[in-house]
Amino acid sequence: PNTIAFGSAVTGLPGVMNVLAGATYTMTGGASGFTVDAAIAGNAVNVAGTLVKNDASVSSFAVPVMMNGTANISNGTVQLLQPGTHAGLFQIGAAGQLQLSMAHVLAGGRTRGTGTLRVMDTLDVLVGTGVTLEVGSVLFASAASRLNLTDNDLLVNYTGTSPVGALVSSYV
């Protein structure tokens, strides 16, 4: 389906979608998205399996997403519009973009690829959780965007010319 609505204003019950380990959910189409029919606590998308985004459209999640599986974003944009905690793998291809709105926590796992990680608010990286960021670019897209490192360390792995010149306190 192009759009899935979560929560019921009639019953007052939340909507939950689980992508189980071994299962795959592929997002396609320009109107692809997860919307909220009613703002009810408990609306969520829990991913233990695989999310796939391989067309040029934008897929938006207006409900919290907990990524403990894999998101393969080879093309297009995946927008996570609500806070979330992630311990899985975000694989971002050259034509892909992962946009994190509101506060997100990386509590393990990897974010890698040649695409773009766009941070619209706060990205917390928890110490001792084995988080790896290896992407083509990380954009802090507003004056309110920030990166929190719980142990105040930032390790930059590179080959060739130093990337330190790209670490500036400005926004796009």
Side-chain angles (χ1 to χ4, degrees), residues 11-146:
T11 66
L13 297 173
V16 176
M17 179 175 137
N18 294 308
V19 180
L20 302 175
T24 299
Y25 183 82
T26 302
M27 299 171 282
T28 59
S32 179
F34 295 79
T35 63
V36 176
D37 182 46
I40 298 169
N43 288 334
V45 175
N46 301 306
V47 181
T50 303
L51 288 179
V52 175
K53 177 68 178 161
N54 55 21
D55 69 356
S57 68
V58 175
S59 292
S60 300
F61 290 83
V63 297
V65 174
M66 305 309 159
M67 178 59 63
N68 292 306
T70 300
N72 289 319
I73 308 166
S74 61
N75 196 359
T77 300
V78 172
Q79 297 174 323
L80 302 183
L81 304 175
Q82 295 295 315
T85 299
H86 315 289
L89 168 65
F90 289 104
Q91 178 70 42
I92 308 169
Q97 178 175 235
L98 172 62
Q99 179 178 314
L100 302 177
S101 297
M102 300 186 81
H104 286 266
V105 176
L106 298 181
R110 297 180 80 167
T111 301
R112 67 178 185 193
T114 54
T116 300
L117 172 62
R118 188 175 189 91
V119 179
M120 304 302 289
D121 195 322
T122 301
L123 180 61
D124 290 316
V125 178
L126 300 184
V127 66
T129 58
V131 171
T132 302
L133 288 174
E134 303 172 76
V135 293
S137 62
V138 178
L139 300 175
F140 291 92
S142 76
S145 297
R146 65 180 200 231

